[in-house]
Amino acid sequence: MSAELDSARGVLAARPPNAPGLVHFLKHHLREYGMLLSLLAIMVFFQVMTDGTLLQPLNLTNLVLQNSYIVIMALGMLLVIVAGHIDLSVGSVSGFVGALAAVLMVNLQWHFVPATLACLAAGAAIGAAQGWFVAYFKIPSFIVTLAGMLVFKGLALALLQGQSVGPFPDAFQLLSSGFIPEVFAGGELRTTSLLLGTGVAAALLVAAWRARRHAQAHGIDTEPLGLFVLRNAAFAAILVALSWLMASYKGLPNVLIVMFVLTLAYDFVTSRTVPGRRLYALGGNEKAARLSGIKTERLAFLTFVNMGLLAALAGLVFAARLNTATPKAGLGFELDVIAACFIGGASASGGVGKVMGAVIGAFVMGVMNNGMSILGVGIDYQQVIKGLVLLAAVCFDVYNKNK
């Protein structure tokens, strides 16, 4: 018996739990690294096919602005999908909130600050109303949010009386069309934006290293050191390069800072807090989560409140970018948002998904839209290609689950 124990200890010592092999690690993290590499491959493809137009500073800035509201809503949609639900109303809610903002700021002459707060409160209230039916009345989220999609599309049309309303105040437009102010005068390069991007890259490197050391100290599996260094060095280099490209134009957009802060906040909540862990438990097995003491109804309710709030924020960003509110605003947004989450690794059955995956999925959709538009691909074929990409992502998820 003693000899068997010694042999087992020898095997464990030869391959400690915090130092898995490269092949073993990649096999168990195929989706995470696969989506990141897919995004890079798509960007390289369109960069070559468009003769360098994709990564020109002007187009890169437009790419961020065009996908900002999709990324913001994808953060909320990820939590809804992880909880085992779906929200089909986000496009209509964002369009309704944009219409409400136009009525308050343009027609009623409200200051943009109280108008913005009222719009965010309206979005949260809409999410609360839908979440109440889903969480406490046990009505399927598909039905509730489908009804919400029709209701708020009609309300937006009624608010605007079938007409476009604008323009918005200049200060409100800065939410989407403004850029980080330049502190260092002189030169065409926006030094402040470049320094901010470089500082963020350095801070993320330090945070990643500290997280790795913390995981090793607690005996948690970590990626091989070589892969860790390569991945983080490449990520930091890409971040600095993108910052330099945008700094050579007008600098970092304000909405990019909003997206970055929200992404960090939601990544922290989902991976480092008790409510985040409970959310994954809810999506994985609701009955088991309830028996373990988790208040599943309240948690599901709060995910819809959060979704309504982010849909309202996205509606404000979209309205500020267009400088007008239109009855058709938000049309089809829900499709891009849901597709971004599934492409980024979320599971249709709930309990699986990461914040960074949703962000990567949103940019996969955005780069494809932008690249195909530059190449002159018609909107009909764009829809076909995006549908096939979504189907392939879900099939890959099902294959991995069955395997």
Side-chain angles (χ1 to χ4, degrees), residues 4-20 221:
E4 293 177 354
L5 290 174
D6 290 340
S7 176
R9 293 190 187 101
V11 171
L12 292 175
R15 189 175 182 274
N18 61 350
D221 285 354

Side-chain angles (χ1 to χ4, degrees), residues 31-82:
R31 188 62 181 270
E32 178 183 348
Y33 286 92
M35 285 312 306
L36 185 58
L37 293 176
S38 297
L39 175 60
L40 294 177
I42 292 172
M43 293 182 69
V44 170
F45 172 78
F46 282 114
Q47 175 71 357
V48 173
M49 295 300 295
T50 60
D51 296 325
T53 302
L54 181 72
L55 293 182
Q56 286 184 358
L58 173 60
N59 189 66
L60 192 61
T61 301
N62 289 334
L63 185 63
V64 172
L65 298 180
Q66 290 168 2
N67 293 279
S68 55
Y69 45 91
I70 300 298
V71 173
I72 290 172
M73 286 191 285
L75 297 175
M77 185 64 72
L78 176 71
L79 302 190
V80 173
I81 292 175
V82 166

Side-chain angles (χ1 to χ4, degrees), residues 131-217:
W132 183 269
F133 284 106
V134 174
Y136 295 101
F137 283 85
K138 304 300 181 183
I139 301 176
S141 57
F142 182 90
I143 301 300
V144 173
T145 57
L146 179 61
M149 179 176 69
L150 300 175
V151 167
F152 295 108
K153 188 180 296 183
L155 288 178
L157 187 63
L159 269 180
L160 298 175
Q161 298 181 351
Q163 300 177 347
S164 297
V165 177
F168 286 98
D170 292 340
F172 175 72
Q173 294 179 44
L174 294 177
L175 173 64
S176 185
S177 60
F179 294 84
I180 299 297
E182 180 59 38
V183 177
F184 305 98
E188 296 183 357
L189 189 68
R190 304 283 177 169
T191 310
T192 304
S193 295
L194 179 58
L195 291 177
L196 181 60
T198 305
V200 168
L204 291 177
L205 283 176
V206 173
W209 179 254
R210 293 183 61 182
R212 175 183 172 84
R213 294 293 299 272
H214 182 268
Q216 289 177 334

